[in-house]
Amino acid sequence: LARTSERFDVVLDDLFLTGPNDVVRSRVPQGETLTLLRARVADGGLFVANLITDAGEHKSVRLASRKAFAESFPVSRVVTPPRGLNEILVGGDEVLPRSALTGYVPRLADPYDRARLAELDVRLLKRR
């Protein structure tokens, strides 16, 4: 990221390393790291980060990331899937609410996928 000036409509951060007992974030999306990532997001684009919601180190990373998103983006939302131990932070100039997903349901051919999309919880983290 530091070697390019290219900007993207969406930048996805799902960077984890394998630790001795669990996966760990290679970098927390905050401070200089978040500044660098945000610089690669085009106007009107989104920055998306996957986080683990488990206890311990994961919890402190998640809370720090939420705070950084709330301070860094005009709008940020938390997307929580119905299963698993993760949440997705989405930040940008405009991040649509959960109701915007309704239009995508018919595009999914598999009934299982449609049901999972309907189960996503999308909450507003912060709007400046």
Side-chain angles (χ1 to χ4, degrees):
L1 290 173
R3 292 188 300 247
T4 183
S5 60
E6 192 170 354
R7 297 178 78 202
F8 305 90
D9 293 334
V10 178
V11 174
L12 301 172
D13 173 355
D14 191 22
L15 302 172
F16 290 87
L17 299 172
T18 302
N21 301 314
D22 199 355
V23 295
V24 294
R25 277 209 143 264
S26 59
R27 290 185 176 182
V28 178
Q30 65 183 10
E32 289 180 26
T33 298
L34 183 57
T35 300
L36 179 61
L37 290 163
R38 282 204 66 207
R40 299 296 137 248
V41 177
D43 293 340
L46 298 173
F47 176 62
V48 180
N50 183 38
L51 302 169
I52 296 172
T53 59
D54 208 1
E57 177 84 14
H58 296 301
K59 183 175 182 177
S60 62
V61 166
R62 183 170 48 94
L63 295 176
S65 299
R66 281 182 170 201
K67 182 177 186 228
F69 266 65
E71 293 171 351
S72 299
F73 295 100
V75 181
S76 52
R77 295 188 187 273
V78 179
V79 179
T80 308
R83 295 165 181 81
L85 291 171
N86 69 310
E87 72 178 24
I88 299 102
L89 297 181
V90 183
D93 294 329
E94 185 57 41
V95 181
L96 299 177
R98 192 206 177 294
S99 60
L101 294 174
T102 306
Y104 293 94
V105 173
R107 296 180 183 189
L108 299 173
D110 189 306
Y112 179 85
D113 292 338
R114 288 194 299 274
R116 299 299 74 77
L117 184 63
E119 292 176 353
L120 286 177
D121 179 36
V122 181
R123 288 173 281 121
L124 183 65
L125 181 60
K126 173 97 183 216
R127 180 182 291 277
R128 275 197 262 163

